[in-house]
Amino acid sequence: MSSDVRLPGPVPVAGAGDLPEVFTAALASVSGEAFRAAGAAEAAQRLLEAVPPDGRPWFVAERELAQALGQHLPVTWTDRTGLAECQVSLTAAEWAIADTGTVGLLLDARQPRACYLLPEVHVAVCRTNALLPTLSDALLRLGERDQLPTACVFVTGPSRTADIEKTIVIPAHGPKRLIAVLLDEI
Amino acid sequence: MSRRQDFARSLADLDLRRKMAVSMAQALGHRAARVAETPEWEALRDAAQAIRAYGLTHLDEMLAQFRHQLEARGARVHWAADAEAANRLILDVLRARGVTRFVKGKSMATEETRLNEALIAAGLDPVETDLGEYLVQLCGDRPAHPTAPAVHLSRQDCGRLICQHLGAPYTDDPTTLSLMVREDLRSEFLRSPAGITGANFAVAETGTVVIVDNEGNQGLVSALPDLHIALVGIDKLIPRLQDLGPLLRLLARNATGQTLTCYTTLISGPRQAEDADGPRELHVILLDNGRRAMLADPTARQAMTCIRCGVCCNICPIYSKVGGHPYGFTYPGAVGSIWAAFLSADPGAEELAHICSLCGACSEVCPVRNELSHTLAAMRRRRHRPWAERLGMGALAAVLARPSLYRLGTRLLRWAHPFRRLGAAVPPIRGWTLGRELPHPPSRSFQESHRRWGGHRRE
Amino acid sequence: MQIALFVPCHVDQFMPQVAEAAYRLLRSLGHNVVVPEAQTCCGQPAYNAGYWPESRRIARNFLRVFGEHGTIVAPSGSCVSMVRTNYPGLFAGEPEEAAARALGHRVHELSSFLVDILQVTNLGAELPVTVTVHDSCHALRELGVRDQPRALLAQVRGLTLVEMAHSEVCCGFGGLFSVKYPELSTAMADEKLDNALATGAQYLVGVEASCLLHLQGRLRRRALPLQTLHLAELLAWGKGLL
Ligand code: SF4
């Protein structure tokens, strides 16, 4: 397929600045929230301030990043069967994309397809060094894998609709809040 | 002339005009803000144009690869030559699994094939889950815009529709209404045995169906039910995963003025043994329905590169006044008027190529640089025109091609002018004078005065 | 410089003063202006309506008449873009293809010829009027004529330019479109005129006579307090040439 020379390479963002800063600003502009933490304990603390537990269980994906954070949280965990009733879903993002304030999630055995959509709040944890400038960079990395997971999703902000007189309403069918956590170290 | 009347009727609907003006100005304003803050804009357009142009010459190769990849993961890939075949395939799959009520994500392809009508006629019960489509379904209408289906409805219209449907007291607050619909549909998602979506792109290299949305319904429709059917026009194929980069960056910025749509869902197969969830069955139906004919037409083929951002609608001085309905075709606006000639069952749809002033505003903004107005002008050659028009044009050409006749015509025009009222029944004059005064030809044309006096006497 | 004046048919018939103005302006700059005798039309009306063989018949006459001339100038963006942009496609595979392509580079719209080629903006005109500008579609999008008319107007002493909202939106003329879909065509004209009126200008100035004919027809029907004026007329008037 790539034998055709006329296919273009990625288009870089002109003048990309400090990635975490660009990411945070981009996510804020789409009503998402982001913070950066040095380690899991600190991240958990900040998260509890941002989302006080309301007694409902939290879904924690079976991925290292999510679990590392989850361990510090005084909440009950639920598995995928409790997704529709839980307060927060804590997922691990493979990449974060600065240009657009996007998190990229692989959906597979350890992170079910519906996990980021059903709960009220979606928290995606991403390593700070997995921040990439553009969507193209994440797609290139995704394409380098031997096999794609059967589903992945790039999430840019909480779920929204503007179908009634173009008035933005959050949420539509998905979460009301999206919080991205950039983690420097586990 | 029924289309002319359809357009005239929409034009006369001042309420619609007001809603359209507000929505289109807002959409274009948001887009302009994105353009201004994206210095790599033209580079993105170059890339997008090249990617889509590649598709024009490599379609079969891409289709084969796409199919191979998906089937290797256990998906079923079907071909549908036309709308009827697509609807039948979908009906068969649903029936075989005993599905009656099921959820749908927003899909223009299913609008194109009128899938809902076909399924309802067969006793099935599709539930649209995109708020705009939900509204359009409630009022038994068709979408008025490719990315904003309910753009023609006011908040009061929406309030009446939703509250009546849910048996709730009237409100027209968009937030309350949206939350009511969210509540109503949540249970549908959780119990639906099947989900039907379209696709925004289909990646050949990886066999991936790509769906973008803001509400999150596409993710739910494609993740929760046990069966997922995606209806995909063969124009959606792109060669590589990385090509989504420029295409999606442009699509969102153009369509809604977002930097990226909230959710970009990439589906490369049904649930595998190692997956936690997802449908056990994935059927992808590749729809031709006139696309190959368009691809074979050297004049129109470029329009196959469309990524359905809808900007050529928003910026069109005609569409932005009347919305999508008078076009009488699934895809309105400039690109829709090209597609209609190949995809519409209505032979009169070719007239759409003429309902355009050829201003070129659309070509200027199209993210994949479709030369829409040039294509429309060239497509006008296709249509069988009334004999009177052909005769008139032949006569005009005969006069304008011969200087001697042109001179004679110049005199005739002046002799005839005092009797112009007699010509009021002649279609072109009638059309002009419907809203305008006729111009007065001065007693001598420029050439006549010039021949008479040359270049000296007047200065 | 010898300049051949290309007078589009609608200008010749209905707005001869525009051609006259262009003629005198170019002469006033010291150029030798000729008006080729046998010219008629560029073929655009038939082309845009989808009648390409008919259009070619007309365009062949244009090629014959202007084939010999080095520099061709017209007070119209649309007809120039017809020759420049559409002739190559219209004559594709025809014996005249090469000639048609070559001709495109030698045809110029008046305001861009003055500003870009002759590099003059100050014609020494003076006119105490308030105007607003309509950007004609083909001049704007096919030829990139946007700043040139404004640069020329900026040098007219006493003149005030008030920009209208959406000056770049189509006025609704569109050739045969204007008579086949008059409701749409006049609705577009109305929007244009309302935006122009809102500026309080006395004159609506453009570089395209066909748009102006259409807008003038609508203005008169609605009896609006506004007049259309071609840029060439305005400049020649301000120079005392008309
Ligand atoms: S033709 Fe271009 S502008 Fe129109 S919808 Fe398609 S991609 Fe967008």
Side-chain angles (χ1 to χ4, degrees), chain B residues 269-450:
Chain B
R271 175 198 302 199
Q272 307 291 299
E274 68 273 15
D275 286 343
D277 65 347
R280 281 174 220 282
E281 266 189 89
L282 169 63
H283 292 258
V284 176
I285 294 161
L286 292 166
L287 176 69
D288 177 352
N289 202 30
R291 287 166 174 79
R292 280 192 186 276
M294 178 159 55
L295 189 62
D297 184 306
T299 306
R301 63 187 315 198
Q302 189 195 40
M304 272 271 283
T305 64
C306 173
I307 60 169
R308 301 248 166 275
C309 71
V311 164
C312 59
C313 294
N314 302 352
I315 203 144
C316 174
I318 295 173
Y319 176 90
S320 61
K321 289 184 182 52
V322 298
H325 289 145
Y327 291 81
F329 179 60
T330 317
Y331 308 99
V335 78
S337 298
I338 301 169
W339 279 53
F342 301 90
L343 273 75
S344 175
D346 167 14
E350 286 203 8
E351 182 187 346
L352 289 172
H354 296 255
I355 309 180
C356 165
S357 65
L358 303 180
C359 77
C362 49
S363 316
E364 199 173 42
V365 292
C366 172
V368 290
R369 295 209 176 88
N370 265 323
E371 294 175 309
L372 298 158
S373 59
H374 288 168
T375 305
L376 284 169
M379 288 204 23
R380 292 179 177 183
R381 290 175 297 170
R382 291 168 53 96
R383 189 160 164 260
H384 188 72
R385 261 74 52 90
W387 65 267
E389 188 186 299
R390 291 208 308 273
L391 203 70
M393 205 45 94
L396 185 71
V399 171
L400 293 177
R402 286 184 195 74
S404 54
L405 287 182
Y406 179 76
R407 268 175 230 159
L408 190 64
T410 303
R411 281 291 90 211
L412 271 173
L413 181 70
R414 279 150 184 80
W415 290 329
H417 191 71
F419 311 107
R420 61 192 173 280
R421 302 224 178 280
L422 297 178
V426 183
I429 298 177
R430 191 174 59 210
W432 183 275
T433 54
L434 195 72
R436 287 155 293 211
E437 299 299 323
L438 281 172
H440 296 292
S443 61
R444 283 196 177 80
S445 76
F446 173 76
Q447 290 201 47
E448 286 179 326
S449 341
H450 193 79

Side-chain angles (χ1 to χ4, degrees), chain C residues 56-192:
Chain C
R56 260 194 300 274
R57 233 169 284 151
I58 304 168
R60 281 204 178 95
N61 182 62
F62 187 92
L63 290 179
R64 266 196 301 276
V65 172
F66 286 99
E68 304 293 292
H69 292 278
T71 303
I72 306 156
V73 175
S76 157
S78 195
C79 302
V80 168
S81 93
M82 170 69 191
V83 177
R84 251 198 224 172
T85 321
N86 299 337
Y87 272 20
L90 184 64
F91 285 103
E94 304 280 329
E96 300 92 338
E97 187 176 348
R101 280 180 190 281
L103 192 62
H105 305 290
R106 311 204 303 270
V107 187
H108 306 275
E109 181 278 329
L110 178 67
S111 73
S112 59
F113 181 71
L114 292 173
V115 175
D116 302 335
I117 310 277
L118 298 182
Q119 314 233 317
V120 288
T121 48
N122 192 344
L123 294 168
E126 178 173 0
L127 203 63
V129 291
T130 306
V131 304
T132 191
V133 174
H134 162 54
D135 291 298
S136 285
C137 297
H138 296 160
L140 175 69
R141 300 195 178 86
E142 308 278 1
L143 305 175
V145 174
R146 181 199 300 264
D147 300 337
Q148 299 88 333
R150 291 174 173 80
L152 290 161
L153 288 172
Q155 299 295 333
V156 177
R157 270 188 297 144
L159 182 140
T160 314
L161 167 62
V162 186
E163 292 285 357
M164 71 165 107
H166 307 301
S167 66
E168 77 296 343
V169 173
C170 179
C171 69
F173 174 61
L176 207 54
F177 168 81
S178 65
V179 294
K180 278 175 128 174
Y181 302 98
E183 297 84 2
L184 285 168
S185 177
T186 49
M188 290 157 81
D190 282 343
E191 229 171 63
K192 177 63 59 181

